[in-house]
Amino acid sequence: SLVTGVQTCALPILVMLSGVNTDDNYRCTDGSKAPIPGLYAAGNTCGNRYGIQYGTPTAGNSCGFALTTGYCAAEAAVKDLG
């Protein structure tokens, strides 16, 4: 592994309409919108993505979002680990 000390978890979820809130670096935030150290979210687990309705206007919408946010979350995690 290129990064040590990082635990990952994959959730078998199609989509979450609420999900967890994240900041600009995909760090999960608490009720006061402060980042929770070491906790990141990507893809459909991120909240506030679809608002009140889930729609799939184009094929691959979720795949592209998951790949992009996963990459960005990983970059943030590496940076936070120093």
Side-chain angles (χ1 to χ4, degrees):
S1 172
L2 296 175
V3 179
T4 58
V6 176
Q7 293 181 334
T8 60
C9 173
L11 300 175
I13 298 172
L14 176 61
V15 68
M16 295 178 77
L17 293 180
S18 55
V20 294
N21 288 321
T22 60
D23 65 8
D24 292 344
N25 292 312
Y26 297 98
R27 295 177 294 194
C28 297
T29 58
D30 62 17
S32 65
K33 297 184 181 180
I36 300 170
L39 187 60
Y40 301 84
N44 287 341
T45 56
C46 294
N48 299 319
R49 178 171 174 210
Y50 289 110
I52 59 171
Q53 183 178 1
Y54 175 65
T56 53
T58 57
N61 185 9
S62 290
C63 295
F65 185 72
L67 289 170
T68 303
T69 56
Y71 183 87
C72 292
E75 280 191 328
V78 169
K79 182 179 177 184
D80 288 348
L81 288 172

Short mmCIF file of all heavy atoms in Angstrom, two decimals:
data_model
loop_
_atom_site.label_atom_id
_atom_site.label_comp_id
_atom_site.label_asym_id
_atom_site.label_seq_id
_atom_site.Cartn_x
_atom_site.Cartn_y
_atom_site.Cartn_z
N SER A 1 0.84 -1.19 0.00
CA SER A 1 0.00 0.00 0.00
C SER A 1 0.88 1.25 0.00
O SER A 1 1.87 1.32 0.72
CB SER A 1 -0.90 -0.03 1.23
OG SER A 1 -1.60 1.19 1.35
N LEU A 2 0.50 2.22 -0.80
CA LEU A 2 1.24 3.48 -0.83
C LEU A 2 0.99 4.33 0.39
O LEU A 2 1.82 5.10 0.81
CB LEU A 2 0.88 4.27 -2.08
CG LEU A 2 1.25 3.62 -3.41
CD1 LEU A 2 0.73 4.46 -4.57
CD2 LEU A 2 2.75 3.48 -3.53
N VAL A 3 -0.18 4.18 0.98
CA VAL A 3 -0.55 4.95 2.16
C VAL A 3 -0.76 3.97 3.30
O VAL A 3 -1.55 3.04 3.19
CB VAL A 3 -1.83 5.77 1.91
CG1 VAL A 3 -2.20 6.55 3.15
CG2 VAL A 3 -1.65 6.70 0.73
N THR A 4 -0.07 4.17 4.41
CA THR A 4 -0.25 3.29 5.56
C THR A 4 -1.05 4.00 6.63
O THR A 4 -1.08 5.22 6.71
CB THR A 4 1.11 2.87 6.13
OG1 THR A 4 1.83 4.04 6.51
CG2 THR A 4 1.91 2.08 5.12
N GLY A 5 -1.73 3.22 7.44
CA GLY A 5 -2.52 3.79 8.53
C GLY A 5 -3.86 4.32 8.10
O GLY A 5 -4.51 5.04 8.85
N VAL A 6 -4.31 4.00 6.91
CA VAL A 6 -5.60 4.48 6.42
C VAL A 6 -6.53 3.29 6.25
O VAL A 6 -6.19 2.32 5.58
CB VAL A 6 -5.46 5.22 5.07
CG1 VAL A 6 -6.81 5.62 4.53
CG2 VAL A 6 -4.56 6.44 5.23
N GLN A 7 -7.70 3.35 6.87
CA GLN A 7 -8.68 2.30 6.73
C GLN A 7 -9.71 2.74 5.70
O GLN A 7 -10.09 3.91 5.65
CB GLN A 7 -9.38 2.01 8.05
CG GLN A 7 -8.45 1.41 9.08
CD GLN A 7 -9.17 1.12 10.38
OE1 GLN A 7 -10.15 1.75 10.71
NE2 GLN A 7 -8.66 0.15 11.11
N THR A 8 -10.14 1.81 4.86
CA THR A 8 -11.15 2.13 3.87
C THR A 8 -12.36 1.23 4.06
O THR A 8 -12.27 0.16 4.65
CB THR A 8 -10.61 1.95 2.44
OG1 THR A 8 -10.21 0.59 2.28
CG2 THR A 8 -9.44 2.88 2.18
N CYS A 9 -13.48 1.68 3.56
CA CYS A 9 -14.72 0.92 3.66
C CYS A 9 -15.56 1.23 2.43
O CYS A 9 -15.76 2.38 2.09
CB CYS A 9 -15.48 1.33 4.92
SG CYS A 9 -17.10 0.59 5.05
N ALA A 10 -16.02 0.20 1.76
CA ALA A 10 -16.89 0.38 0.60
C ALA A 10 -18.31 -0.02 0.99
O ALA A 10 -18.52 -1.10 1.52
CB ALA A 10 -16.40 -0.46 -0.57
N LEU A 11 -19.26 0.85 0.74
CA LEU A 11 -20.65 0.57 1.07
C LEU A 11 -21.41 0.18 -0.19
O LEU A 11 -21.36 0.91 -1.18
CB LEU A 11 -21.31 1.80 1.70
CG LEU A 11 -20.68 2.31 2.98
CD1 LEU A 11 -21.35 3.60 3.42
CD2 LEU A 11 -20.77 1.26 4.07
N PRO A 12 -22.12 -0.95 -0.19
CA PRO A 12 -22.87 -1.38 -1.38
C PRO A 12 -24.21 -0.64 -1.49
O PRO A 12 -25.26 -1.19 -1.23
CB PRO A 12 -23.07 -2.87 -1.14
CG PRO A 12 -23.12 -2.98 0.35
CD PRO A 12 -22.17 -1.94 0.87
N ILE A 13 -24.14 0.63 -1.86
CA ILE A 13 -25.33 1.48 -1.90
C ILE A 13 -25.52 2.03 -3.30
O ILE A 13 -24.56 2.50 -3.92
CB ILE A 13 -25.19 2.64 -0.89
CG1 ILE A 13 -25.07 2.08 0.53
CG2 ILE A 13 -26.35 3.61 -0.99
CD1 ILE A 13 -24.73 3.12 1.56
N LEU A 14 -26.73 1.98 -3.83
CA LEU A 14 -27.00 2.55 -5.14
C LEU A 14 -26.91 4.07 -5.08
O LEU A 14 -26.20 4.69 -5.85
CB LEU A 14 -28.38 2.12 -5.64
CG LEU A 14 -28.82 2.73 -6.96
CD1 LEU A 14 -27.86 2.34 -8.08
CD2 LEU A 14 -30.24 2.31 -7.30
N VAL A 15 -27.64 4.68 -4.16
CA VAL A 15 -27.60 6.14 -4.02
C VAL A 15 -28.14 6.53 -2.65
O VAL A 15 -28.94 5.81 -2.07
CB VAL A 15 -28.42 6.84 -5.14
CG1 VAL A 15 -29.89 6.59 -4.98
CG2 VAL A 15 -28.13 8.32 -5.18
N MET A 16 -27.65 7.64 -2.14
CA MET A 16 -28.17 8.19 -0.89
C MET A 16 -28.69 9.59 -1.20
O MET A 16 -27.97 10.40 -1.75
CB MET A 16 -27.06 8.28 0.17
CG MET A 16 -26.52 6.94 0.61
SD MET A 16 -25.20 7.10 1.81
CE MET A 16 -26.12 7.47 3.28
N LEU A 17 -29.93 9.84 -0.85
CA LEU A 17 -30.47 11.18 -1.10
C LEU A 17 -30.04 12.15 -0.01
O LEU A 17 -30.05 13.35 -0.22
CB LEU A 17 -31.99 11.12 -1.19
CG LEU A 17 -32.52 10.37 -2.41
CD1 LEU A 17 -34.04 10.36 -2.41
CD2 LEU A 17 -32.00 10.97 -3.70
N SER A 18 -29.68 11.66 1.15
CA SER A 18 -29.21 12.55 2.19
C SER A 18 -27.70 12.40 2.34
O SER A 18 -26.96 13.30 2.03
CB SER A 18 -29.93 12.29 3.50
OG SER A 18 -29.79 10.92 3.87
N GLY A 19 -27.21 11.25 2.75
CA GLY A 19 -25.78 11.02 2.86
C GLY A 19 -25.13 11.86 3.93
O GLY A 19 -25.79 12.51 4.73
N VAL A 20 -23.82 11.84 3.94
CA VAL A 20 -23.07 12.62 4.92
C VAL A 20 -22.58 13.90 4.26
O VAL A 20 -22.27 13.93 3.08
CB VAL A 20 -21.87 11.82 5.48
CG1 VAL A 20 -22.34 10.62 6.29
CG2 VAL A 20 -20.95 11.35 4.39
N ASN A 21 -22.53 14.96 5.04
CA ASN A 21 -22.04 16.23 4.50
C ASN A 21 -20.52 16.23 4.50
O ASN A 21 -19.88 15.70 5.40
CB ASN A 21 -22.56 17.40 5.33
CG ASN A 21 -24.03 17.63 5.11
OD1 ASN A 21 -24.51 17.51 3.99
ND2 ASN A 21 -24.75 17.95 6.16
N THR A 22 -19.96 16.82 3.46
CA THR A 22 -18.51 16.92 3.33
C THR A 22 -18.10 18.35 3.04
O THR A 22 -18.90 19.17 2.59
CB THR A 22 -18.00 16.01 2.19
OG1 THR A 22 -18.61 16.42 0.97
CG2 THR A 22 -18.30 14.55 2.45
N ASP A 23 -16.83 18.64 3.29
CA ASP A 23 -16.30 19.95 2.92
C ASP A 23 -15.72 19.88 1.51
O ASP A 23 -15.93 18.90 0.80
CB ASP A 23 -15.27 20.44 3.95
CG ASP A 23 -14.02 19.58 4.02
OD1 ASP A 23 -13.84 18.67 3.18
OD2 ASP A 23 -13.20 19.82 4.93
N ASP A 24 -14.97 20.90 1.11
CA ASP A 24 -14.42 20.95 -0.25
C ASP A 24 -13.38 19.87 -0.53
O ASP A 24 -13.07 19.61 -1.69
CB ASP A 24 -13.81 22.33 -0.52
CG ASP A 24 -14.86 23.42 -0.58
OD1 ASP A 24 -16.06 23.10 -0.73
OD2 ASP A 24 -14.48 24.60 -0.49
N ASN A 25 -12.82 19.27 0.52
CA ASN A 25 -11.83 18.21 0.36
C ASN A 25 -12.42 16.83 0.66
O ASN A 25 -11.68 15.89 0.88
CB ASN A 25 -10.62 18.47 1.27
CG ASN A 25 -9.85 19.68 0.81
OD1 ASN A 25 -9.54 19.81 -0.37
ND2 ASN A 25 -9.53 20.57 1.72
N TYR A 26 -13.73 16.73 0.67
CA TYR A 26 -14.46 15.49 0.90
C TYR A 26 -14.19 14.88 2.27
O TYR A 26 -14.31 13.69 2.46
CB TYR A 26 -14.23 14.48 -0.24
CG TYR A 26 -14.77 15.06 -1.52
CD1 TYR A 26 -13.93 15.68 -2.43
CD2 TYR A 26 -16.13 15.05 -1.79
CE1 TYR A 26 -14.43 16.27 -3.58
CE2 TYR A 26 -16.64 15.64 -2.94
CZ TYR A 26 -15.78 16.24 -3.82
OH TYR A 26 -16.28 16.83 -4.95
N ARG A 27 -13.84 15.74 3.24
CA ARG A 27 -13.77 15.32 4.63
C ARG A 27 -15.18 15.39 5.20
O ARG A 27 -15.87 16.39 4.99
CB ARG A 27 -12.83 16.23 5.43
CG ARG A 27 -11.38 16.14 4.98
CD ARG A 27 -10.52 17.10 5.73
NE ARG A 27 -10.93 18.46 5.38
CZ ARG A 27 -10.22 19.55 5.64
NH1 ARG A 27 -9.08 19.46 6.27
NH2 ARG A 27 -10.66 20.74 5.29
N CYS A 28 -15.59 14.35 5.90
CA CYS A 28 -16.92 14.37 6.51
C CYS A 28 -16.96 15.43 7.58
O CYS A 28 -15.96 15.68 8.26
CB CYS A 28 -17.24 13.00 7.12
SG CYS A 28 -17.30 11.68 5.90
N THR A 29 -18.11 16.08 7.72
CA THR A 29 -18.24 17.15 8.70
C THR A 29 -19.25 16.78 9.77
O THR A 29 -20.16 15.98 9.54
CB THR A 29 -18.66 18.47 8.02
OG1 THR A 29 -19.89 18.27 7.34
CG2 THR A 29 -17.61 18.95 7.04
N ASP A 30 -19.09 17.39 10.94
CA ASP A 30 -20.02 17.16 12.03
C ASP A 30 -21.18 18.14 11.93
O ASP A 30 -21.30 18.87 10.94
CB ASP A 30 -19.31 17.24 13.38
CG ASP A 30 -18.71 18.61 13.66
OD1 ASP A 30 -19.09 19.61 12.99
OD2 ASP A 30 -17.85 18.70 14.56
N GLY A 31 -22.03 18.17 12.95
CA GLY A 31 -23.21 19.04 12.92
C GLY A 31 -22.90 20.52 12.83
O GLY A 31 -23.71 21.30 12.34
N SER A 32 -21.71 20.91 13.26
CA SER A 32 -21.32 22.33 13.17
C SER A 32 -20.50 22.61 11.91
O SER A 32 -19.90 23.68 11.79
CB SER A 32 -20.53 22.74 14.42
OG SER A 32 -19.31 22.03 14.48
N LYS A 33 -20.47 21.64 10.99
CA LYS A 33 -19.76 21.74 9.71
C LYS A 33 -18.24 21.78 9.85
O LYS A 33 -17.54 22.21 8.94
CB LYS A 33 -20.25 22.93 8.89
CG LYS A 33 -21.71 22.83 8.52
CD LYS A 33 -22.15 23.95 7.62
CE LYS A 33 -23.63 23.78 7.30
NZ LYS A 33 -24.13 24.83 6.45
N ALA A 34 -17.74 21.30 11.00
CA ALA A 34 -16.29 21.18 11.19
C ALA A 34 -15.86 19.80 10.68
O ALA A 34 -16.57 18.81 10.89
CB ALA A 34 -15.94 21.33 12.67
N PRO A 35 -14.70 19.71 10.01
CA PRO A 35 -14.25 18.41 9.49
C PRO A 35 -13.96 17.42 10.62
O PRO A 35 -13.44 17.80 11.66
CB PRO A 35 -12.97 18.73 8.73
CG PRO A 35 -12.78 20.19 8.78
CD PRO A 35 -13.80 20.79 9.67
N ILE A 36 -14.31 16.17 10.40
CA ILE A 36 -14.00 15.09 11.34
C ILE A 36 -12.66 14.51 10.91
O ILE A 36 -12.55 13.98 9.79
CB ILE A 36 -15.10 14.02 11.33
CG1 ILE A 36 -16.45 14.63 11.71
CG2 ILE A 36 -14.73 12.86 12.25
CD1 ILE A 36 -17.63 13.71 11.49
N PRO A 37 -11.63 14.61 11.76
CA PRO A 37 -10.29 14.16 11.36
C PRO A 37 -10.27 12.70 10.91
O PRO A 37 -10.81 11.82 11.59
CB PRO A 37 -9.45 14.35 12.63
CG PRO A 37 -10.20 15.39 13.42
CD PRO A 37 -11.65 15.16 13.11
N GLY A 38 -9.68 12.46 9.74
CA GLY A 38 -9.49 11.11 9.24
C GLY A 38 -10.69 10.44 8.62
O GLY A 38 -10.63 9.28 8.25
N LEU A 39 -11.81 11.16 8.47
CA LEU A 39 -13.02 10.55 7.90
C LEU A 39 -13.38 11.26 6.60
O LEU A 39 -13.62 12.47 6.58
CB LEU A 39 -14.18 10.65 8.89
CG LEU A 39 -15.47 9.92 8.51
CD1 LEU A 39 -15.21 8.42 8.33
CD2 LEU A 39 -16.54 10.14 9.57
N TYR A 40 -13.39 10.50 5.51
CA TYR A 40 -13.64 11.03 4.17
C TYR A 40 -14.79 10.29 3.53
O TYR A 40 -15.07 9.14 3.87
CB TYR A 40 -12.39 10.88 3.30
CG TYR A 40 -11.19 11.59 3.87
CD1 TYR A 40 -10.41 10.98 4.84
CD2 TYR A 40 -10.86 12.87 3.46
CE1 TYR A 40 -9.33 11.64 5.39
CE2 TYR A 40 -9.78 13.53 4.01
CZ TYR A 40 -9.01 12.91 4.97
OH TYR A 40 -7.94 13.55 5.52
N ALA A 41 -15.46 10.92 2.59
CA ALA A 41 -16.54 10.27 1.85
C ALA A 41 -16.36 10.58 0.37
O ALA A 41 -15.81 11.61 -0.01
CB ALA A 41 -17.91 10.77 2.31
N ALA A 42 -16.82 9.66 -0.46
CA ALA A 42 -16.73 9.85 -1.91
C ALA A 42 -17.91 9.17 -2.57
O ALA A 42 -18.56 8.30 -1.99
CB ALA A 42 -15.43 9.29 -2.44
N GLY A 43 -18.20 9.58 -3.78
CA GLY A 43 -19.27 8.95 -4.55
C GLY A 43 -20.65 9.21 -3.97
O GLY A 43 -20.92 10.28 -3.44
N ASN A 44 -21.50 8.20 -4.05
CA ASN A 44 -22.89 8.36 -3.63
C ASN A 44 -23.09 8.50 -2.13
O ASN A 44 -24.20 8.75 -1.69
CB ASN A 44 -23.73 7.19 -4.16
CG ASN A 44 -23.95 7.28 -5.64
OD1 ASN A 44 -23.81 8.33 -6.24
ND2 ASN A 44 -24.29 6.16 -6.26
N THR A 45 -22.03 8.33 -1.33
CA THR A 45 -22.18 8.53 0.11
C THR A 45 -22.12 10.01 0.48
O THR A 45 -22.46 10.37 1.59
CB THR A 45 -21.11 7.77 0.90
OG1 THR A 45 -19.82 8.17 0.45
CG2 THR A 45 -21.28 6.28 0.75
N CYS A 46 -21.66 10.86 -0.43
CA CYS A 46 -21.63 12.30 -0.18
C CYS A 46 -23.05 12.85 -0.18
O CYS A 46 -23.85 12.51 -1.05
CB CYS A 46 -20.83 13.03 -1.24
SG CYS A 46 -19.09 12.63 -1.25
N GLY A 47 -23.35 13.69 0.77
CA GLY A 47 -24.68 14.28 0.86
C GLY A 47 -24.86 15.47 -0.05
O GLY A 47 -23.92 15.98 -0.65
N ASN A 48 -26.09 15.92 -0.14
CA ASN A 48 -26.47 17.11 -0.89
C ASN A 48 -26.12 17.03 -2.37
O ASN A 48 -25.87 18.03 -3.02
CB ASN A 48 -25.83 18.36 -0.29
CG ASN A 48 -26.28 18.58 1.12
OD1 ASN A 48 -27.45 18.40 1.43
ND2 ASN A 48 -25.37 18.95 2.00
N ARG A 49 -26.13 15.82 -2.91
CA ARG A 49 -25.78 15.67 -4.32
C ARG A 49 -26.99 15.86 -5.22
O ARG A 49 -26.92 16.54 -6.23
CB ARG A 49 -25.17 14.29 -4.54
CG ARG A 49 -24.84 14.05 -5.98
CD ARG A 49 -24.05 12.80 -6.16
NE ARG A 49 -23.90 12.56 -7.58
CZ ARG A 49 -23.81 11.38 -8.12
NH1 ARG A 49 -23.80 10.32 -7.37
NH2 ARG A 49 -23.68 11.24 -9.41
N TYR A 50 -28.08 15.21 -4.90
CA TYR A 50 -29.26 15.26 -5.76
C TYR A 50 -30.39 16.11 -5.21
O TYR A 50 -31.41 16.24 -5.84
CB TYR A 50 -29.79 13.84 -5.99
CG TYR A 50 -28.90 13.02 -6.87
CD1 TYR A 50 -28.17 11.96 -6.37
CD2 TYR A 50 -28.78 13.30 -8.23
CE1 TYR A 50 -27.35 11.21 -7.18
CE2 TYR A 50 -27.96 12.56 -9.05
CZ TYR A 50 -27.25 11.51 -8.52
OH TYR A 50 -26.45 10.77 -9.32
N GLY A 51 -30.23 16.68 -4.04
CA GLY A 51 -31.32 17.45 -3.46
C GLY A 51 -32.44 16.54 -3.02
O GLY A 51 -32.23 15.63 -2.24
N ILE A 52 -33.62 16.74 -3.56
CA ILE A 52 -34.77 15.96 -3.12
C ILE A 52 -35.16 14.86 -4.10
O ILE A 52 -36.07 14.09 -3.84
CB ILE A 52 -35.99 16.86 -2.87
CG1 ILE A 52 -36.38 17.61 -4.14
CG2 ILE A 52 -35.72 17.82 -1.72
CD1 ILE A 52 -37.68 18.36 -4.05
N GLN A 53 -34.50 14.78 -5.23
CA GLN A 53 -34.91 13.79 -6.24
C GLN A 53 -33.68 13.15 -6.87
O GLN A 53 -32.72 13.82 -7.21
CB GLN A 53 -35.76 14.46 -7.33
CG GLN A 53 -36.27 13.49 -8.36
CD GLN A 53 -37.14 14.20 -9.39
OE1 GLN A 53 -37.33 15.40 -9.31
NE2 GLN A 53 -37.65 13.46 -10.33
N TYR A 54 -33.73 11.84 -7.03
CA TYR A 54 -32.65 11.13 -7.68
C TYR A 54 -32.97 10.99 -9.17
O TYR A 54 -33.99 10.44 -9.54
CB TYR A 54 -32.47 9.74 -7.06
CG TYR A 54 -31.45 8.88 -7.76
CD1 TYR A 54 -30.11 9.23 -7.76
CD2 TYR A 54 -31.83 7.71 -8.40
CE1 TYR A 54 -29.17 8.45 -8.40
CE2 TYR A 54 -30.88 6.92 -9.04
CZ TYR A 54 -29.56 7.30 -9.03
OH TYR A 54 -28.62 6.51 -9.66
N GLY A 55 -32.10 11.50 -9.98
CA GLY A 55 -32.31 11.41 -11.42
C GLY A 55 -31.04 10.96 -12.10
O GLY A 55 -29.94 11.25 -11.65
N THR A 56 -31.17 10.25 -13.18
CA THR A 56 -30.00 9.82 -13.93
C THR A 56 -30.11 10.32 -15.37
O THR A 56 -30.52 9.58 -16.26
CB THR A 56 -29.87 8.28 -13.92
OG1 THR A 56 -31.11 7.73 -14.38
CG2 THR A 56 -29.56 7.75 -12.55
N PRO A 57 -29.77 11.58 -15.59
CA PRO A 57 -29.92 12.14 -16.94
C PRO A 57 -28.95 11.53 -17.95
O PRO A 57 -29.26 11.49 -19.13
CB PRO A 57 -29.64 13.62 -16.74
CG PRO A 57 -28.82 13.69 -15.50
CD PRO A 57 -29.25 12.54 -14.64
N THR A 58 -27.81 11.05 -17.51
CA THR A 58 -26.86 10.45 -18.43
C THR A 58 -26.26 9.20 -17.82
O THR A 58 -26.06 9.11 -16.62
CB THR A 58 -25.70 11.43 -18.75
OG1 THR A 58 -25.06 11.80 -17.53
CG2 THR A 58 -26.18 12.66 -19.47
N ALA A 59 -25.99 8.23 -18.67
CA ALA A 59 -25.37 7.00 -18.19
C ALA A 59 -23.98 7.29 -17.66
O ALA A 59 -23.24 8.09 -18.21
CB ALA A 59 -25.30 5.99 -19.33
N GLY A 60 -23.62 6.64 -16.57
CA GLY A 60 -22.29 6.82 -15.99
C GLY A 60 -22.18 7.99 -15.03
O GLY A 60 -21.09 8.27 -14.52
N ASN A 61 -23.26 8.67 -14.76
CA ASN A 61 -23.26 9.82 -13.87
C ASN A 61 -22.64 9.47 -12.52
O ASN A 61 -21.73 10.15 -12.05
CB ASN A 61 -24.70 10.32 -13.71
CG ASN A 61 -24.80 11.58 -12.90
OD1 ASN A 61 -23.81 12.20 -12.57
ND2 ASN A 61 -26.01 11.96 -12.58
N SER A 62 -23.09 8.41 -11.90
CA SER A 62 -22.57 8.02 -10.59
C SER A 62 -21.13 7.54 -10.68
O SER A 62 -20.34 7.78 -9.77
CB SER A 62 -23.45 6.94 -9.96
OG SER A 62 -24.70 7.48 -9.60
N CYS A 63 -20.78 6.84 -11.75
CA CYS A 63 -19.41 6.33 -11.90
C CYS A 63 -18.41 7.48 -11.99
O CYS A 63 -17.38 7.48 -11.33
CB CYS A 63 -19.30 5.45 -13.13
SG CYS A 63 -20.27 3.94 -13.04
N GLY A 64 -18.72 8.46 -12.80
CA GLY A 64 -17.83 9.61 -12.94
C GLY A 64 -17.69 10.38 -11.65
O GLY A 64 -16.58 10.79 -11.27
N PHE A 65 -18.80 10.56 -10.93
CA PHE A 65 -18.77 11.28 -9.66
C PHE A 65 -17.94 10.50 -8.63
O PHE A 65 -17.15 11.07 -7.90
CB PHE A 65 -20.19 11.51 -9.15
CG PHE A 65 -20.27 12.34 -7.91
CD1 PHE A 65 -20.00 13.70 -7.95
CD2 PHE A 65 -20.60 11.76 -6.70
CE1 PHE A 65 -20.06 14.47 -6.80
CE2 PHE A 65 -20.67 12.53 -5.55
CZ PHE A 65 -20.40 13.88 -5.59
N ALA A 66 -18.12 9.17 -8.59
CA ALA A 66 -17.38 8.34 -7.64
C ALA A 66 -15.88 8.38 -7.92
O ALA A 66 -15.08 8.50 -7.00
CB ALA A 66 -17.90 6.91 -7.67
N LEU A 67 -15.50 8.28 -9.19
CA LEU A 67 -14.08 8.31 -9.54
C LEU A 67 -13.45 9.66 -9.20
O LEU A 67 -12.36 9.72 -8.63
CB LEU A 67 -13.90 8.01 -11.02
CG LEU A 67 -14.17 6.57 -11.44
CD1 LEU A 67 -14.20 6.46 -12.97
CD2 LEU A 67 -13.13 5.64 -10.86
N THR A 68 -14.14 10.72 -9.53
CA THR A 68 -13.60 12.06 -9.30
C THR A 68 -13.50 12.37 -7.81
O THR A 68 -12.45 12.82 -7.33
CB THR A 68 -14.47 13.12 -10.00
OG1 THR A 68 -14.53 12.82 -11.39
CG2 THR A 68 -13.90 14.51 -9.80
N THR A 69 -14.57 12.14 -7.07
CA THR A 69 -14.54 12.47 -5.64
C THR A 69 -13.61 11.52 -4.88
O THR A 69 -12.97 11.93 -3.91
CB THR A 69 -15.95 12.44 -5.03
OG1 THR A 69 -16.55 11.15 -5.25
CG2 THR A 69 -16.83 13.53 -5.63
N GLY A 70 -13.52 10.26 -5.30
CA GLY A 70 -12.59 9.34 -4.66
C GLY A 70 -11.15 9.79 -4.83
O GLY A 70 -10.35 9.76 -3.90
N TYR A 71 -10.82 10.24 -6.03
CA TYR A 71 -9.48 10.74 -6.31
C TYR A 71 -9.18 11.98 -5.46
O TYR A 71 -8.13 12.09 -4.84
CB TYR A 71 -9.35 11.07 -7.80
CG TYR A 71 -7.97 11.55 -8.20
CD1 TYR A 71 -6.99 10.62 -8.54
CD2 TYR A 71 -7.66 12.90 -8.23
CE1 TYR A 71 -5.71 11.05 -8.91
CE2 TYR A 71 -6.40 13.33 -8.59
CZ TYR A 71 -5.43 12.41 -8.93
OH TYR A 71 -4.17 12.84 -9.28
N CYS A 72 -10.14 12.91 -5.41
CA CYS A 72 -9.95 14.14 -4.64
C CYS A 72 -9.86 13.84 -3.14
O CYS A 72 -9.05 14.44 -2.43
CB CYS A 72 -11.09 15.11 -4.91
SG CYS A 72 -11.10 15.76 -6.59
N ALA A 73 -10.68 12.92 -2.64
CA ALA A 73 -10.64 12.55 -1.22
C ALA A 73 -9.30 11.90 -0.89
O ALA A 73 -8.71 12.15 0.17
CB ALA A 73 -11.79 11.63 -0.88
N ALA A 74 -8.79 11.05 -1.78
CA ALA A 74 -7.50 10.41 -1.56
C ALA A 74 -6.37 11.44 -1.51
O ALA A 74 -5.47 11.35 -0.67
CB ALA A 74 -7.23 9.37 -2.63
N GLU A 75 -6.42 12.41 -2.40
CA GLU A 75 -5.41 13.48 -2.40
C GLU A 75 -5.45 14.24 -1.07
O GLU A 75 -4.41 14.55 -0.50
CB GLU A 75 -5.64 14.46 -3.55
CG GLU A 75 -5.12 13.99 -4.86
CD GLU A 75 -5.13 15.10 -5.90
OE1 GLU A 75 -6.01 15.99 -5.85
OE2 GLU A 75 -4.26 15.05 -6.78
N ALA A 76 -6.65 14.55 -0.59
CA ALA A 76 -6.80 15.27 0.67
C ALA A 76 -6.29 14.42 1.84
O ALA A 76 -5.62 14.95 2.75
CB ALA A 76 -8.25 15.66 0.89
N ALA A 77 -6.57 13.12 1.81
CA ALA A 77 -6.11 12.24 2.89
C ALA A 77 -4.59 12.18 2.94
O ALA A 77 -3.98 12.27 4.01
CB ALA A 77 -6.70 10.84 2.71
N VAL A 78 -3.95 12.06 1.78
CA VAL A 78 -2.49 12.02 1.72
C VAL A 78 -1.92 13.34 2.25
O VAL A 78 -0.94 13.35 3.01
CB VAL A 78 -2.01 11.71 0.29
CG1 VAL A 78 -0.51 11.94 0.15
CG2 VAL A 78 -2.37 10.29 -0.08
N LYS A 79 -2.51 14.44 1.85
CA LYS A 79 -2.04 15.75 2.30
C LYS A 79 -2.22 15.89 3.81
O LYS A 79 -1.34 16.39 4.49
CB LYS A 79 -2.81 16.86 1.57
CG LYS A 79 -2.38 18.24 1.92
CD LYS A 79 -3.16 19.28 1.15
CE LYS A 79 -2.75 20.69 1.58
NZ LYS A 79 -3.56 21.70 0.91
N ASP A 80 -3.37 15.43 4.33
CA ASP A 80 -3.61 15.54 5.78
C ASP A 80 -2.67 14.66 6.60
O ASP A 80 -2.34 14.99 7.72
CB ASP A 80 -5.07 15.16 6.09
CG ASP A 80 -6.06 16.23 5.63
OD1 ASP A 80 -5.62 17.34 5.28
OD2 ASP A 80 -7.27 15.94 5.62
N LEU A 81 -2.24 13.53 6.01
CA LEU A 81 -1.30 12.66 6.71
C LEU A 81 0.11 13.23 6.75
O LEU A 81 0.93 12.83 7.56
CB LEU A 81 -1.27 11.27 6.05
CG LEU A 81 -2.50 10.40 6.27
CD1 LEU A 81 -2.43 9.16 5.41
CD2 LEU A 81 -2.62 10.03 7.73
N GLY A 82 0.34 14.20 5.88
CA GLY A 82 1.63 14.88 5.86
C GLY A 82 2.68 14.09 5.20
O GLY A 82 3.79 14.00 5.30
#
